[in-house]
Structures are given as structure tokens and as C-alpha cells.
Amino acid sequence: AAGLKPKWSVNVGPGYSGISVVGDLVFTMDRIADEVSEEEQNKNPDALLDGVERILCFDRNSGKLVWHHDYRSNYKGLDYNKGPRTTPTIHAGRLYALGAMGHLHCLDARTGTQIWARDLIKDSGAKLPTWGFAASPLVVDDKLIIHAGIPGGCYCALSLKTGKEIWKDSYEAAIVDYLHEGGPCATPTVDGKTVYTISKDGRLNAY
């Protein structure tokens, strides 16, 4: 068999992000590390951890870059520091993306214009998991469900419009597992009005 014939191919940076396709647009995430000289590395080994995470949008038919949204992200304390772990979520013309270090962005999906942004570590007191933030954002009605491991709630719900916190769960055991042993990387599942989650201690939880 001849196999699949590529329509187009473009270079992207390292990362573990999946790909979202909506209409004529293709979305993903990557990371570009700063170029650091050997002299700079010797002076400051942490300089190797500096770089930018990027949210990328390509034309589905041509592969042409439509827009990119870049933000600084230092990967200190993170195992496997290649790039973002999550896949952008697209809903009602907006894109929601969570970076490996807890940078959460809401962008206009067609233009890349920032609507709101949050730093889950600085703004909400989330602790960096061993492998970084790895569960993709989930849209439920007018809420964005995030697996953030913030104090008082392993999962939290934010307003789609503003990014403000609406609620957080209170399952403390899940938080302890998540913060200190890496925790589950699963995106929660929704059936009607119930949110189902799996925690590292083997519990299936319904909210």
C-alpha cells in the first residue's frame, strides 16, 4: 500500500500537546527554549529552563501559521522539561489552554487575541506536580473545569467569560496525592450534570 500522502508539514517545538481541529483551523502547543551559551550555563544552570510556551494556530488546508500566542515560562522543578502536556480546548469561538507550569489562557480562537489569563500557581496557590499540569481544560455549560490541585480543591471550576473561580472540590486526599506524588493526569468526564474524576488513591469520585 502507498500509505497516506502528506498534504503539508510544518516545524513545531518540543512538547506533549495533542491537536485540536475546528473548522478550517488546527491548534496545538509547544515550547521554545532560550538559546544559552556555555558560559551562561556555567554561571547559571537554571538558565537552561527559561523559554516561551506557545499556543499555535494553523490553516487546515495549507499549514500556514495563522497566529501564535507566546508567554514566558520557566521550567524549574519540572521533570521532562520539553514542553506543554495538554491539548487546547475550543468552545464557542474561544480557545482555552493550560501550560505545563500552570499558565491558563483564554484566547479568541480565530485571532489569538487574549481574553483573560491566570497563573494557577501565583493566583490560586496551586503546587507544581512532578510532571507539570497535564490535564486538558474541560468545558461544562458556562464553566471551565481545571485539574489544578489548588488548596482546598483538587479540581476547580472557573467562569468561561472571566476566569474567576466558581467552585472547587473538597477531596483533600486527592490533593495530597496530586501534589506530592505526581497525581492523576486524567481530564475529568461529564455525564449530564455530574463530573466524574479519578484520584491517585484509587477512588472514582462523582460531583
Side-chain angles (χ1 to χ4, degrees), residues 92-106:
R94 292 187 175 188
L95 175 148
Y96 302 91
L98 177 61
M101 302 301 291
H103 297 100
L104 178 63
H105 288 85
C106 171

Side-chain angles (χ1 to χ4, degrees), residues 83-160:
R85 281 82 163 119
T86 68
T87 301
T89 299
I90 318 298
H91 174 74
R94 292 187 175 188
L95 175 148
Y96 302 91
L98 177 61
M101 302 301 291
H103 297 100
L104 178 63
H105 288 85
C106 171
L107 310 178
D108 183 297
R110 186 153 292 278
T111 66
T113 302
Q114 180 174 299
I115 299 171
W116 55 260
R118 291 190 59 169
D119 183 327
L120 296 180
I121 293 177
K122 291 183 179 180
D123 297 344
S124 302
K127 303 297 183 182
L128 178 67
T130 301
W131 311 112
F133 294 88
S136 301
L138 177 69
V139 173
V140 181
D141 297 328
D142 60 347
K143 304 174 185 66
L144 189 70
I145 311 299
I146 299 294
H147 188 185
I150 64 177
C154 188
Y155 291 88
C156 65
L158 309 178
S159 165
L160 289 178

